[in-house]
Amino acid sequence: MGYTVAVVGATGNVGREMLTTLADRKFPVGEAIALASDNAVGKEVSFGEDEVLKVQDLGKFDFKGVDLALFAADAKVSAAHAPRAAAAGAVVIDASPQFRMDPDVPLVVPEVNAAALAGHGKRNIVASPDGAAILLAVALKPLHDRFTVRRVVVSTYQAVSGAGKDGMDELFGQTRAIYVNDPVQKSTFSKQIAFNVIPHIGPFMEDGATKDEWALNVETKKILDSKIKVTATCVRVPVFIGHSASVTIECEEPVTAEEARRILRKAPGVQVIDQHDNEGYITPVEVAGDDPVFVSRIREDYTVDNGLSFWCATDNLRKGAALNAVQIAELLVERHLGG
Ligand SMILES: NC(=O)c1ccc[n+]([C@@H]2O[C@H](COP(=O)([O-])OP(=O)(O)OC[C@H]3O[C@@H](n4cnc5c(N)ncnc54)[C@H](OP(=O)(O)O)[C@@H]3O)[C@@H](O)[C@H]2O)c1
């Protein structure tokens, strides 16, 4: 006995991680179904140690009988297929940006706003936030509960896997090309990413911000508190897995680094690594393959009233996407789906 769970985008970075996470966390899966584009039909993907799934064509797939559909393809695929999955009776958990700001779709990070899941029935869709927004929300939530965060200044350092498997291939290909003196080819990123950083993620908007910078602001408001102001600079860095962020917050209440550290140590989904020595902080290569949001470099910011600065990082494919979606599925089963 268990749930019939379909993963859309099962051949991609996030989809594969979803299948691994479902198996690792022993989610009660009766049948697992792997879906992708017609190009991938017949390919095989692993589900846990022993099971191999043959990929089926999403375009031809009928969602009748599916309990949960985890979407990890791009926004256009979700726009075209998530509503029909929901209409067929599956609860959709969508990792793409498509429905995140839809007022009838809850945008959920289980450690932060699990209660919002109660609204999932309006469209039968739950959205999982942008990876950097999840990172920020998990770190901010305990601080907001105690100190009331009013303004956030954040610079992100986002891994190439945030741009899908093509982003990882581009970093690998460019690095290799530079070593063997071949011309550097670019297609996913607008500038060379190997041995470089690019202050540009998502299309530019009218005011000069990028879509991801805008998303970090509006998604944080929707998940955590509409009164919080977020100003963001999103930067792509030549790291395969692991989004990081440098964060400064201004709070309503007086804040000390010591109390912030104590609060964060007890917070769900957070691990504090904060020693003032050479190895006393986290870096993205160390978070790859791990679940928590790690917080380091916690210190008071004396340039503003009630200011605090910190560094945080998480595996963007796990907590930043797949793990968050599976945690949503676990909560749905526990609180809403029954059976
Ligand atoms: N990567 C992150 O850090 C992260 C974090 C949060 C959210 N997300 C979101 O998660 C989603 C997936 O990201 P990703 O990094 O896993 O991308 P990815 O590695 O490029 O994978 C994309 C997946 O979508 C499938 N796909 C493409 N076109 C399709 C179609 N027409 N019909 C069905 N499936 C199709 C691909 O299958 P084929 O093998 O058939 O091409 C592949 O399985 C995106 O919406 C992204 O915004 C990603």
Side-chain angles (χ1 to χ4, degrees):
M1 268 302 290
Y3 295 91
T4 300
V5 182
V7 173
V8 175
T11 54
N13 279 340
V14 174
R16 276 182 285 127
E17 198 66 51
M18 281 172 169
L19 287 166
T20 302
T21 308
L22 286 164
D24 285 355
R25 291 173 71 93
K26 301 193 174 11
F27 187 86
V29 175
E31 186 190 357
I33 298 162
L35 301 168
S37 76
D38 53 357
N39 294 329
V41 170
K43 278 189 186 166
E44 292 184 339
V45 289
S46 302
F47 175 54
E49 300 274 296
D50 312 317
E51 210 173 323
V52 171
L53 309 175
K54 277 227 186 306
V55 175
Q56 303 179 46
D57 181 0
L58 169 67
K60 296 198 181 122
F61 184 74
D62 181 355
F63 281 90
K64 202 155 162 257
V66 172
D67 299 301
L68 287 161
L70 275 56
F71 274 68
D74 67 25
K76 280 189 199 144
V77 172
S78 289
H81 298 281
R84 76 176 177 87
V91 180
V92 170
I93 302 168
D94 185 27
S96 91
Q98 180 60 29
F99 300 102
R100 288 178 188 156
M101 295 313 295
D102 183 323
D104 291 334
V105 172
L107 182 65
V108 177
V109 179
E111 295 88 344
V112 180
N113 65 337
L117 262 188
H120 78 276
K122 283 190 189 153
R123 295 197 63 176
N124 236 15
I125 300 175
V126 181
S128 181
D130 170 74
I134 294 175
L135 167 67
L136 192 61
V138 172
L140 285 183
K141 163 76 174 162
L143 299 172
H144 186 53
D145 285 349
R146 169 64 184 85
F147 305 115
T148 314
V149 178
R150 280 290 159 248
R151 180 167 182 259
V152 180
V153 182
V154 54
S155 295
T156 67
Y157 301 71
Q158 296 183 220
V160 292
S161 54
K165 50 191 178 178
D166 293 348
M168 297 179 90
D169 290 347
E170 192 150 314
L171 174 58
F172 184 83
Q174 288 183 357
T175 306
R176 193 196 148 279
I178 288 165
Y179 275 120
V180 299
N181 227 5
D182 276 351
V184 168
Q185 314 276 357
K186 57 185 170 56
S187 62
T188 299
F189 303 116
S190 48
K191 301 226 180 193
Q192 178 185 316
I193 184 63
F195 307 101
N196 200 9
V197 297
I198 307 175
H200 171 195
I201 306 182
F204 280 98
M205 309 198 37
E206 241 172 52
D207 66 356
T210 66
K211 190 90 183 276
D212 277 50
E213 290 160 356
W214 169 83
L216 210 41
N217 180 26
V218 294
E219 290 187 25
T220 304
K221 285 176 186 291
K222 183 167 174 180
I223 302 161
L224 195 51
D225 184 342
S226 60
K227 291 202 214 85
I228 294 181
K229 295 176 182 157
V230 180
T231 178
T233 303
C234 292
V235 182
R236 188 72 71 193
V237 295
V239 162
F240 281 103
I241 295 174
H243 284 359
S244 314
S246 156
V247 187
T248 293
I249 58 174
E250 289 176 49
C251 305
E252 230 164 74
E253 306 290 325
V255 48
T256 65
E258 199 190 330
E259 191 178 1
R261 214 173 280 121
R262 203 168 49 240
I263 286 167
L264 284 162
R265 280 211 172 95
K266 288 193 221 136
V270 174
Q271 192 169 328
V272 173
I273 298 187
D274 197 18
Q275 307 295 325
H276 299 166
D277 62 35
N278 286 347
E279 302 223 11
Y281 50 85
I282 199 76
T283 62
V285 289
E286 295 157 304
V287 306
D290 229 331
D291 287 347
V293 162
F294 292 88
V295 183
S296 298
R297 304 288 326 276
I298 302 163
R299 61 216 190 269
E300 284 144 50
D301 173 7
Y302 307 113
T303 66
V304 290
D305 289 339
N306 309 329
L308 187 86
S309 293
F310 60 89
W311 169 257
C312 54
T314 200
D315 182 328
N316 53 297
L317 301 179
R318 288 178 77 92
K319 184 57 193 166
L323 172 61
N324 198 66
V326 171
Q327 286 175 315
I328 291 171
E330 289 169 349
L331 273 180
L332 279 168
V333 162
E334 201 181 293
R335 299 189 187 173
H336 300 282
L337 296 187

